[in-house]
Amino acid sequence: MSTPVTQKPAWREPMVWLVVGGPASVVVASFFTLGLALKHPDPPLDLHPSAQRSADDVEPADMRAHEGDVPALIARNHAATGVPGAKP
């Protein structure tokens, strides 16, 4: 005679927790990240910070320092606002 095999419930198997626990923790972390992104959105960046200063305060070296950043700032503002070429 063979002995009857008793089966444990699925939630008592450690492999089930490994298979289900990983994706479940990723889903929880993504909702946490979404909540942070919605609560603290990034404002569009000013493309010309020296324009707010008077002409006497602006040095030519200050103006040239950020010329290379303009394409990146436009792309970043587009990502933040959804409007192509968005300027503050």
Side-chain angles (χ1 to χ4, degrees):
M1 296 214 151
S2 64
T3 59
V5 177
T6 58
Q7 290 185 347
K8 294 191 276 186
W11 59 270
R12 297 199 119 214
E13 291 290 333
M15 188 58 69
V16 171
W17 290 109
L18 287 175
V19 170
V20 174
S25 64
V26 169
V27 169
V28 169
S30 66
F31 279 112
F32 178 74
T33 304
L34 176 65
L36 284 176
L38 293 175
K39 188 174 181 179
H40 305 288
D42 290 336
L45 298 175
D46 187 10
L47 293 177
H48 305 288
S50 60
Q52 296 175 351
R53 296 187 283 179
S54 68
D56 297 335
D57 294 341
V58 178
E59 295 180 15
D62 289 341
M63 293 176 69
R64 286 191 305 270
H66 297 289
E67 285 178 358
D69 296 342
V70 173
L73 290 175
I74 290 173
R76 187 244 180 244
N77 288 344
H78 170 63
T81 61
V83 178
K87 296 178 182 150

